[in-house]
Amino acid sequence: MFLGEFSCLVAFYLLMCRDRRRAEPILATAQPFNPLLFLPPALCDMTGTSIMYVALNMTSASSFQMLRGAVIIFTGLLSVAFLGRKLVLSQWLGIAVTIAGLVVVGLADLLNNQDEKHNLSEVITGDLLIIMAQVIVAIQMVLEEKFVYKHDVHPLRAVGTEGLFGFVILTLLLIPMYFIPAGSFGGNPRHVLEDALDAFCQVGRQPLIALALLGNISSIAFFNFAGISVTKEISATTRMVLDSLRTVVIWAVSLAVGWEVFHALQILGFLILLAGAALYNGLHQPLLARLARRPPAGTPGEQESLLHGERMPINADS
């Protein structure tokens, strides 16, 4: 994951070198800032993602996608508390409706695929871990918005800096993880927390794994760049609303490739998600403004008198 983010930093410096050769540079010069400012968001990203992947092994995929929508609530509250942002009523309604849509989509997935691999205690623990991880992810989004706005950092540079910190930290953590026993939780032949050597052996023996890793790196790089761009141009909460719509995309792709069976309840969830996103982004305002400007229709008698009555001169005496 962090390798994909780190590739954005390489792309940023290549873009800078190309821009400097032009007579009139296009890229704006960012304000001086300490790169360590992006260390806390990188730590939040690493911690939140790790907790969510651990929780994914304890609960179902539908619950995982559904509960990730809770990040909208935490991001909105933290944006109000620490960024001084004021959300209007329609934005609060949009957040609530979006969460309701996520619940409906997740419920439909849960009804289609009853998970019998985990007991009740594991499911509850996994769900609580997912919700706790959303608080950490929300902190990351708010920190990114604060630093990107304040220092006018290019999105590629912001993502790449976080990726550099995360890549270095996780690389160092692989050393103790190679020796820490984890029992059956490890999921590798040596039953340790992480066996990096075994992972490289699997990649070398299965080219399909290497192809999947390259695809994952590319998608993560593009996704985080797009997310930082939305945060810079709009807000962190809008980024979270759009990020939550990934549930709909995952559902649509799963239906297209035949991984899931169609369920009518998913259509309802999709419509609720669209309504929530429209409310939050203010798409209802032009419609309300048009209705407010429309003149009220007169009575038939008044319309007839206006059409067939005697015409008076414009400058006639009143």
Side-chain angles (χ1 to χ4, degrees), residues 180-188 190-193:
I180 298 176
S184 59
F185 184 77
N188 51 70
R190 297 180 59 248
H191 300 291
V192 293
L193 275 180

Side-chain angles (χ1 to χ4, degrees), residues 20-204:
R20 289 174 181 175
R21 296 178 180 177
R22 297 180 178 178
E24 297 181 358
I26 300 177
L27 296 178
T29 304
Q31 300 178 6
F33 71 97
N34 188 354
L36 291 177
L37 290 175
F38 286 94
L39 178 59
L43 293 175
C44 291
D45 191 7
M46 180 180 62
T47 306
T49 304
S50 300
I51 293 176
M52 282 190 289
Y53 282 140
V54 171
L56 184 58
N57 293 321
M58 299 180 178
T59 185
S60 61
S62 59
S63 298
F64 176 79
Q65 289 293 335
M66 177 180 64
L67 294 175
R68 286 187 65 183
V71 70
I72 301 174
I73 301 177
F74 302 124
T75 306
L77 294 177
L78 292 176
S79 297
V80 172
F82 296 102
L83 299 180
R85 189 177 305 279
K86 294 182 179 180
L87 302 181
V88 298
L89 179 60
S90 62
Q91 290 176 314
W92 287 112
L93 290 176
I95 293 175
V97 172
T98 302
I99 295 175
L102 291 171
V103 172
V104 173
V105 173
L107 180 61
D109 191 16
L110 184 62
L111 293 176
N112 285 337
N113 299 296
Q114 296 293 336
D115 189 5
E116 299 178 354
K117 298 180 180 179
H118 309 99
N119 54 42
L120 182 59
S121 61
E122 288 182 346
V123 172
I124 294 177
T125 303
D127 292 347
L128 292 177
L129 286 176
I130 294 173
I131 295 176
M132 183 176 65
Q134 304 319 303
V135 180
I136 301 175
V137 175
I139 295 174
Q140 173 197 348
M141 297 299 105
V142 173
L143 289 175
E144 287 178 352
E145 179 176 351
K146 182 178 181 179
F147 296 148
V148 168
Y149 268 124
K150 183 178 180 180
H151 301 284
D152 194 22
V153 183
H154 193 278
L156 283 175
R157 189 176 186 182
V159 174
T161 304
E162 289 186 17
L164 175 61
F165 287 131
F167 181 75
V168 172
I169 293 173
L170 281 182
T171 301
L172 295 177
L173 288 178
L174 285 177
I175 299 175
M177 287 181 179
Y178 184 80
F179 300 99
I180 298 176
S184 59
F185 184 77
N188 51 70
R190 297 180 59 248
H191 300 291
V192 293
L193 275 180
E194 191 66 44
D195 193 342
L197 297 180
D198 180 66
F200 283 116
C201 290
Q202 294 183 29
V203 172

Side-chain angles (χ1 to χ4, degrees), residues 312-316:
M312 300 293 294
I314 296 177
N315 58 351

